[in-house]
Amino acid sequence: MREIFEVRGYDGAGRIGELRVPRADTTVETPALLPVINPHVQTVPPGELESTFGTQILITNSYILHGSEDLRGPALETGLHELLEFSGPIMTDSGSFQLAEYGSIDVTTEEILRFQHEIGADIGTPVDVPTPPDTDLSQAQDEQTRTQERLELADTVETGEMLVTAPVQGSGYPDLREQAAREAYRTDLDVFPIGAVVPLLNEYRYQELVDVVTATKRGLGADAPVHLFGAGHPMMFALAAALGCDLFDSAAYALYARDGRYLTVSGTEHLADLTEFACSCPVCVDNTPAELEAAATSKRQRLLAEHNLFISFEEIRRIREAIRRGTLFELLEQRARSHPALLDGYRQLLEYPEQSAATDPTTKDAFFYLSRESAHRPEVIRHHQRLGRFDVGSELLLTAGNPSDSYEECWRLVAPFGPVPRALSDAYPFTAERPDSLDREAFEAAARGVARLVKSNPETDITIFHDDWPASALALLPGQVTCERLGARAETANED
Ligand code: GUN
Ligand code: ZN
């Protein structure tokens, strides 16, 4: 059992956690965003990050400090916290990203970990080998083996109270990612970043990202804090959090600002294309897009970076609150509607229903049916799993209308859940708020629920009175189910 990370609550696979950082003598509430600080170019000074944006923890690159004539000495003499003027925990990366960019770097895992320890880093990182997506399998396997060797070496380096990360590689191969995660988790290392996903993020390949993250999560224990390396765009934080990622790092706020790009939770805008800001952060209240455009380059970059940070931290707080309140899926469905690539990502997440259902709380305040994807939410899947364990008598009516005494037993029939015992029907999630015009997938999900119940009760005589199910849902019902449309009954009754 790892003692540095405690999960306080779940929503699906998303969780609120506390990461204990012993060297900084503090805890970080997760999901958390770590702004990336370039030691040479501080677009927003770290001190301000702490006071204005509520930054709990940041990340910088020890490889840049190690190789810098100007900064290496001061970093060693005064330590990282004084150098950056930031009193909270600081995580350091190792130069692996530079290794991926330039093919080689001039430090070893042992050297860089010692250096990170000497400059006072609170969380350090070994030199993993980032294997990008689309690498061929044998190379990805070789590089994963090398990464694992470095993790095992890192495990033997004396680093005192500094936490050490164990990056998980494996390119775009889910099985390799899962294996890499299992091997990383077997070490005594502390935090588990998912590596080399930046190309997927930059190209909005969220569907593949979901495969990579879910595979990694399968190889890790629930007590493993998971960092998504390079995830800095607020439009995808909700998706990443719902997959069970706890930490994100963002250079996007500064990199995008440099190109005149303005981040929102639903995408990126170019400053030059905007007439008004639909944002109430101090930057957007005090300036118009035209004023920012006309400002001096350094001022424009600084202000854009500040807006980008405001919006990013706001989204992180919104996500934490959604997890606490059990509304992460409602948030995710909104975000999925802001970009088709995110919709692909969300739909892919729903392809792993067991992974979300395993930790999803049994009760929440409300379930809002907001899109056809809602029919595949973990609450529905878990109910279907339960239906496989119910033992009903010889005769059962499932009705979307009023109960009837003419049957031995009578349950409700509620799309998208399917059969619901009367005793449960006023409980979460069967009290779901649904639109009057339900889509086909809600009824199909309900039909799958019926099929599940029939499978575990093959001897039971089951009748359903449904509320005008489409043919695609009726087609999913097992042949022995007697089936009638409620409206049809009423019509017949009127004719009598
Ligand atoms: N930053 C972005 N991706 C990576 C990665 O795969 N490894 C490390 N160490 N840093 C990263
Ligand atoms: Zn703003």
Side-chain angles (χ1 to χ4, degrees):
M1 188 68 192
R2 286 176 156 80
E3 281 172 2
I4 57 145
F5 188 60
E6 197 172 327
V7 176
R8 296 264 182 223
Y10 278 100
D11 190 2
R15 66 254 187 106
I16 291 278
E18 267 182 24
L19 177 68
R20 214 163 55 75
V21 189
R23 203 175 188 195
D25 194 21
T26 189
T27 59
V28 170
E29 184 166 38
T30 64
L33 174 62
L34 292 73
V36 175
I37 298 299
N38 181 326
H40 289 299
V41 198
Q42 294 175 14
T43 315
V44 178
E48 189 181 319
L49 288 174
E50 205 163 8
S51 60
T52 308
F53 299 92
T55 301
Q56 305 176 72
I57 171 170
L58 50 82
I59 179 167
T60 191
N61 195 319
S62 65
Y63 180 71
I64 295 178
L65 291 168
H66 186 265
S68 162
E69 302 246 327
D70 313 336
L71 296 176
R72 184 190 161 100
L76 285 166
E77 280 150 35
T78 68
L80 203 48
H81 293 80
E82 200 151 310
L83 183 75
L84 298 181
E85 297 180 33
F86 184 81
S87 65
I90 301 179
M91 174 171 167
T92 48
D93 203 349
S94 58
S96 288
F97 199 66
Q98 285 73 11
L99 171 66
E101 289 281 291
Y102 310 117
S104 69
I105 56 171
D106 55 7
V107 291
T108 64
T109 282
E110 220 167 341
E111 285 163 351
I112 204 70
L113 279 176
R114 284 192 205 289
F115 179 70
Q116 291 169 0
H117 184 252
E118 281 170 35
I119 62 177
D122 301 293
I123 306 177
T125 304
V127 184
D128 53 308
V129 184
T131 312
D134 314 314
T135 303
D136 65 54
L137 179 61
S138 69
Q139 186 179 343
Q141 285 166 330
D142 288 349
E143 292 184 0
Q144 187 272 323
T145 304
R146 273 203 285 148
T147 291
Q148 181 59 23
E149 284 165 5
R150 291 172 186 196
L151 300 190
E152 283 164 20
L153 174 67
D155 216 356
T156 67
V157 178
E158 184 45 61
T159 50
E161 280 198 312
M162 182 174 84
L163 299 178
V164 177
T165 70
V168 175
Q169 299 291 343
S171 184
Y173 302 100
D175 291 347
L176 189 56
R177 288 276 182 180
E178 185 174 339
Q179 177 200 325
R182 240 177 259 294
E183 291 177 8
Y185 188 66
R186 245 181 253 136
T187 66
D188 281 326
L189 301 177
D190 305 292
V191 175
F192 299 85
I194 302 178
V197 292
V198 170
L200 297 182
L201 298 169
N202 286 345
E203 294 162 28
Y204 289 7
R205 291 160 68 180
Y206 296 125
Q207 195 173 339
E208 291 161 80
L209 178 76
V210 168
D211 290 336
V212 163
V213 176
T214 48
T216 306
K217 291 284 293 187
R218 284 193 294 276
L220 297 172
D223 59 352
V226 176
H227 180 123
L228 194 59
F229 258 144
H233 200 304
M235 72 190 268
M236 58 76 64
F237 291 166
L239 178 65
L243 293 166
C245 297
D246 308 297
L247 302 162
F248 310 97
D249 67 84
S250 174
Y253 76 95
L255 297 176
Y256 282 55
R258 227 169 280 167
D259 300 340
R261 287 188 290 173
Y262 178 93
L263 298 180
T264 79
V265 291
S266 47
T268 310
E269 306 288 350
H270 281 273
L271 188 56
D273 297 334
L274 297 175
T275 307
E276 290 184 86
F277 288 135
C279 168
S280 301
C281 86
V283 174
C284 297
V285 168
D286 289 346
N287 299 275
T288 64
E291 283 165 356
L292 274 198
E293 270 278 59
T297 306
S298 67
K299 182 177 175 195
R300 180 175 61 246
Q301 287 183 5
R302 166 83 179 257
L303 290 174
L304 264 180
E306 287 184 358
H307 159 83
N308 290 345
L309 283 167
F310 274 117
I311 226 68
S312 299
F313 279 102
E314 178 179 293
E315 181 70 351
I316 292 286
R317 289 194 298 276
R318 185 181 288 121
I319 288 166
R320 286 199 299 257
E321 191 66 358
I323 298 172
R324 287 186 200 103
R325 299 189 54 202
T327 56
L328 184 59
F329 276 83
E330 279 81 0
L331 177 62
L332 197 47
E333 298 205 342
Q334 287 180 40
R335 294 293 173 261
R337 256 58 200 177
S338 59
H339 196 289
L342 278 172
L343 184 55
D344 281 331
Y346 178 43
R347 288 183 179 156
Q348 195 64 13
L349 176 149
L350 296 170
E351 291 291 318
Y352 301 94
E354 288 81 11
Q355 266 177 268
S356 294
T359 46
D360 195 46
T362 49
T363 182
K364 303 180 194 176
D365 281 349
F367 178 120
F368 277 22
Y369 192 98
L370 295 171
S371 72
R372 64 188 182 85
E373 287 76 30
S374 303
H376 306 276
R377 280 178 49 161
E379 292 91 339
V380 179
I381 305 304
R382 203 185 34 235
H383 181 58
H384 289 175
Q385 292 167 347
R386 276 168 79 189
L387 284 172
R389 300 195 295 267
F390 272 104
D391 198 0
V392 291
S394 58
E395 188 189 59
L396 173 68
L397 171 69
L398 306 171
T399 176
N402 295 325
S404 162
D405 292 336
S406 325
Y407 295 80
E408 198 177 294
E409 206 168 338
C410 174
W411 288 13
R412 284 185 64 203
L413 185 62
V414 187
F417 303 100
V420 179
R422 289 269 152 200
L424 294 180
S425 62
D426 287 334
Y428 185 88
F430 311 114
T431 49
E433 297 277 351
R434 306 171 304 163
D436 286 338
S437 60
L438 270 180
D439 47 77
R440 195 164 51 76
E441 291 195 31
F443 297 114
E444 290 168 8
R448 284 194 294 275
V450 175
R452 195 75 175 248
L453 189 65
V454 169
K455 199 169 163 205
S456 54
N457 294 272
E459 305 299 323
T460 308
D461 209 348
I462 296 183
T463 303
I464 75 168
F465 294 167
H466 64 85
D467 42 349
D468 201 13
W469 284 12
S472 61
L474 296 173
L476 296 171
L477 294 171
Q480 71 261 46
V481 175
T482 310
C483 173
E484 224 178 287
R485 183 164 69 89
L486 275 170
R489 283 173 55 75
E491 283 152 26
T492 319
N494 287 343
E495 278 163 23
D496 289 345

